[in-house]
Amino acid sequence: MYEKFTERARRLVSLNATESTNAVLKEMIKSSEEPVFAAVLADFQTKGRGRLGRDFYSPRGGLYFSVSYPLLGSEKNIPFLTLLAGLAVSEAISELTGTATEIKWPNDIYLNQKKLGGILCELVSAGSLTVVAGIGINLSTEKKDIPEELLDKMTSFAAEGIAVPDKTALFSRITQKLDEYIYEKEELFGVSKKSLDNVRRLSYSIGKNIKYKTQNGVIEGKVCDITENGAVRAILTDGTEKEIFFGEIIQ
Ligand code: BTN
């Protein structure tokens, strides 16, 4: 079903159910002495994982997959990879469905102010240092089937009354784009100006007021930019500028 998903030859494992496609792919490649190009898909996940150790609700009816990206060159732009994956997802959705989504820093895909999907990038040592990019998108879950505690946070194409895109086509387009953005630049893992501009254009976060927890308490400000380091740049209420690289911002 998914064989022709990319021009780059990849080992592809397509599962009915699994705990987490990221966990399966990491286990699959961790003892390899060669760089591994592989992908794992599942119809549903029993322990889908999100950023900051959170769960990712993954019922049947969504697209859940993980793809490995061996680091063939510079590692300096790894932090931007999650945003590149967000760009690939958002653009693929727009091309296939005409639906505009936004990238909420650093790893969420937003539709109508709610989370349509998420990205979890993890690093594994497998022959060469490898990024496992895990992507989950809510497709046909009906509103009535969304757990109550997620109702005001999560959405899907079906819940928004939008025609559900074909899973295979979406998977193909996202991975084609990611391959292109990650490997076909002059500098491997380089962030092209075009990608950076597109991430900024599709950003849900720019212009939003935020709160961010530091060791010394909560700071507040407004997001003014996304940087090529994959950080959020904010102007704080005291007028100073701050770059935030990790952790949770409330936006
Ligand atoms: C997040 O919400 O913080 C990120 C969610 C990432 C979910 C995807 S689904 C496929 C892959 N397998 C996982 O366990 N997580 C990622």
Side-chain angles (χ1 to χ4, degrees), residues 18-23 40 45 47-58 63-66 107-108 115 117-122 132-137:
T18 187
E19 287 195 353
S20 154
T21 55
N22 266 35
V40 175
Q45 300 182 118
K47 276 194 191 156
R49 297 176 33 220
R51 193 169 161 265
L52 305 173
R54 297 196 174 118
D55 294 337
F56 184 77
Y57 179 56
S58 317
L63 172 62
Y64 313 109
F65 68 94
S66 304
N107 69 320
D108 287 340
K115 180 162 168 164
I119 293 144
L120 176 66
C121 287
E122 299 182 277
V132 166
I135 296 177
I137 305 171

